[in-house]
Amino acid sequence: MCGIVGYLGNRQATDVLVDGLSKLEYRGYDSAGVAVNNGKNELEIRKFQGRLAVLAEDLEKNPIKGHLGIGHTRWATHGVPSDVNSHPHFNKEKTIAVVHNGIIENYLELKAELQAEGYEFISQTDTEVVPNLIDYYFTSDKSQNTIEKFLRAVKNAVSDLK
């Protein structure tokens, strides 16, 4: 079973995320990952097959500084356990990252529609359609208000998911 942790605050996000994910280890998982906004309006993403300790060791050696992030432990439902299939999944520009529990029943249909629009996919997971679908709606919206535009894109993407 998967575990999801999010953080926004004054502490370093990776410390909180790894600590939170460690409390969910009893659920079982095959990989772990985080996406953290590094304060430069960029996401740094680290994800690894295996135990949470692999991710924690990497973050200790190569820290990500930032106060906003998401973390995930995955139990494979789509795609074999691997670094690439681990969560978080992201759009091409790595400006949108998503973690997800469950199954997206219509992901093959959505993936085909996005591929027809030029989107490329690197994983075997259903979740990867979500950040790309949000990206599609976001870039298709010509309004100027970024926050409203993003919220509309998320709402439209979620309404497409089954």
Side-chain angles (χ1 to χ4, degrees):
M1 184 176 276
C2 304
I4 293 176
V5 176
Y7 179 73
L8 169 62
N10 294 322
R11 296 175 53 197
Q12 290 300 320
T14 54
D15 296 341
V16 178
L17 297 173
V18 171
D19 183 54
L21 291 173
S22 72
K23 291 175 172 54
L24 300 173
E25 282 188 292
Y26 71 92
R27 300 165 70 119
Y29 61 95
D30 58 46
S31 59
V34 296
V36 175
N37 182 302
N38 64 12
K40 301 173 190 165
N41 289 326
E42 299 172 354
L43 294 176
E44 288 193 48
I45 299 163
R46 305 274 176 79
K47 52 189 195 165
F48 299 96
Q49 176 184 350
R51 307 301 298 166
L52 179 60
V54 176
L55 173 65
E57 286 173 25
D58 178 79
L59 291 169
E60 193 170 305
K61 291 177 189 171
N62 306 301
I64 302 173
K65 302 286 185 194
H67 304 280
L68 167 67
I70 55 175
H72 189 271
T73 53
R74 172 182 185 256
W75 189 258
T77 53
H78 287 96
V80 298
S82 69
D83 291 354
V84 171
N85 288 334
S86 303
H87 292 220
H89 289 285
F90 45 87
N91 64 332
K92 183 177 181 180
E93 293 80 20
K94 293 186 180 178
T95 55
I96 301 168
V98 171
V99 296
H100 162 255
N101 283 358
I103 295 172
I104 300 169
E105 295 175 5
N106 63 334
Y107 87 98
L108 289 174
E109 173 188 324
L110 295 170
K111 183 176 180 176
E113 291 172 10
L114 289 166
Q115 286 173 320
E117 294 290 333
Y119 284 83
E120 297 178 9
F121 292 80
I122 59 173
S123 80
Q124 302 165 323
T125 70
D126 57 344
T127 302
E128 191 179 5
V129 300
V130 180
N132 287 299
L133 195 56
I134 293 169
D135 180 85
Y136 170 77
Y137 282 118
F138 184 81
T139 57
S140 301
D141 189 332
K142 301 305 178 200
S143 67
Q144 298 299 313
N145 186 318
T146 305
I147 294 171
E148 288 179 11
K149 186 174 160 176
F150 183 73
L151 292 173
R152 252 190 321 274
V154 170
K155 183 178 178 181
N156 287 335
V158 169
S159 70
D160 286 350
L161 303 176
K162 294 180 185 163

